[in-house]
Amino acid sequence: MSVRPRGSEADGTEWASPSIDTTVAHSARRYDYWLGGKDNFAADRESGDAIAAAFPTVRTAVIENRRFVRRAVAFLAEHAGIRQFLDIGTGIPTSPNVHEIAQRIAPASRVVYVDNDPIVLAHARALLASSEEGATAYIDADLRDPDEIIGNAELRAIFDFSRPVALMLAAILHFIPDEADPSGIVARMVRALPEGSYLVMSHATNDFLAPEEVAEIVAGRYGPFFARKEAEFARFFEGSELVSPGIVSVAEWRAGAEPQPRPTAAEAYTYCAVGKVN
C-alpha cells in the first residue's frame, strides 16, 4: 500500500478495506474524530457524539492527552538525551507524532510504533517517514503479550538495548481489564528496559466523575473501558523515580507554554506521569 487511506467527512467517499467493518464504531477512529481528524466513518462520529453528550469534556481529555505526549517526548529528547522511543498502542497517526517530535530535536532518534489493530495497520505507512539519520518502524503486536514485543526481531534490529529507551503507554492501559494483569504487563516491559530508560504513561480516571457517570462506564455502555483511581495508576510506577511534577492531570504536566487557562483535572480526567526506571 503506497497511499495512506483516508475516510472523508466532506465528500462522502470513504476508504474501506474488506477486513475492516466501517459500520461499527471503533475506538481508534472515534479518537481520531475527537481530535478533529479525517480517518473516521459515520458510525465512529455517531458513537463519538453520543459519548460526548454523556461526557461533555471528552474532546478536551483526548486533546490534552496528545499534548502531554508531545511535551513528554520533547522533554525526553531535549533534556534526558533519549534517542529511542517505543510507542505501544499508538493508534491512528496524528501529526506531529512521536518520531516527528523526537527527530526534530535529535534527527538520529529511532522510534518503533506498536499496535495490533487492522485499522492502525492500514495507516502504518504514514508512520515510516523517518529522518535520514534516524529510523521509524511499525510492529503488529499486542501489549497483552509483552514477550512478543520484547523479542521482536525488527525491534531488536532497530534499537540498541545497551542504551536507554522511552516506553510510551499513552491512553492504552484503560482498555485492559484487571484480570489481564495490566500492572504485571507494565512490570514485564519495564524489566526489559536498559538502565536509564523512562516510562511514560497516561490513563483515564474516574476520580472526578459523578457516581452515575462511573456506573455507565462500569456497565460497558460505550465498550470495554477501565478507568482507574490515582493510587491504582501510581502502582504502574513502583520502582521508578517520578520526574517532576509527578502524577498530575495531562492538562498540567509541564504545561506552562500551552494555551491558558488550562483545563481542570476534572475536565481532562486523565492522569499522567513520566518515571525514570531504576
Side-chain angles (χ1 to χ4, degrees):
M1 184 183 302
S2 59
V3 179
R4 182 184 180 190
R6 307 291 293 180
S8 170
E9 293 178 297
D11 61 12
T13 59
E14 297 180 323
W15 170 87
S17 165
S19 63
I20 297 172
D21 187 351
T22 62
T23 67
V24 177
H26 186 278
S27 59
R29 296 194 308 251
R30 188 167 55 208
Y31 193 90
D32 175 78
Y33 170 57
W34 285 328
L35 286 174
K38 300 295 184 182
D39 295 306
N40 52 77
F41 299 92
D44 310 305
R45 298 189 284 272
E46 291 170 5
S47 174
D49 288 342
I51 294 175
F55 303 93
T57 64
V58 66
R59 288 186 175 88
T60 298
V62 299
I63 289 170
E64 291 303 324
N65 179 68
R66 291 308 303 172
R67 287 175 171 170
F68 158 68
V69 169
R70 294 166 187 168
R71 295 194 303 271
V73 171
F75 165 79
L76 292 175
E78 187 169 0
H79 300 289
I82 297 298
R83 299 293 180 263
Q84 302 183 123
F85 295 82
L86 179 58
D87 185 3
I88 302 179
T90 180
I92 293 173
T94 303
S95 185
N97 221 303
V98 171
H99 72 282
E100 295 172 308
I101 299 165
Q103 292 178 351
R104 187 180 304 152
I105 296 168
S109 296
R110 310 174 83 79
V111 180
V112 175
Y113 297 97
V114 180
D115 212 300
N116 71 328
D117 195 307
I119 296 290
V120 177
L121 179 60
H123 296 81
R125 295 287 296 181
L127 295 173
L128 302 181
S130 172
S131 66
E132 291 185 6
E133 301 93 329
T136 307
Y138 173 87
I139 293 173
D140 185 11
D142 193 326
L143 175 60
R144 290 168 295 184
D145 188 354
D147 290 331
E148 177 189 8
I149 297 173
I150 294 165
N152 183 275
E154 186 173 7
L155 174 68
R156 292 282 169 175
I158 292 174
F159 279 0
D160 175 358
F161 272 86
S162 68
R163 301 180 60 196
V165 173
L167 172 61
M168 314 284 299
L169 297 172
I172 181 63
L173 268 296
H174 50 227
F175 293 111
I176 297 182
D178 288 342
E179 52 265 32
D181 190 20
S183 294
I185 291 170
V186 174
R188 176 69 183 96
M189 293 295 303
V190 167
R191 285 196 301 270
L193 298 178
E195 183 178 354
S197 294
Y198 285 81
L199 172 63
V200 179
M201 281 189 63
S202 59
H203 194 300
T205 182
N206 54 21
D207 283 352
F208 306 103
L209 300 179
E212 59 270 20
E213 293 174 319
V214 175
E216 286 200 15
I217 293 174
V218 171
R221 179 179 172 185
Y222 306 109
F225 196 80
F226 308 93
R228 294 183 170 96
K229 295 185 175 296
E230 182 178 2
E232 295 174 293
F233 179 67
R235 284 199 286 272
F236 291 116
F237 287 89
E238 288 181 354
S240 298
E241 178 184 350
L242 291 178
V243 172
S244 177
I247 295 174
V248 294
S249 165
V250 288
E252 299 171 4
W253 196 91
R254 296 179 177 249
E258 297 285 8
Q260 303 292 327
R262 306 300 300 132
T264 66
E267 289 171 327
Y269 51 80
T270 305
Y271 287 125
C272 70
V274 175
K276 187 173 184 180
V277 177
N278 295 322

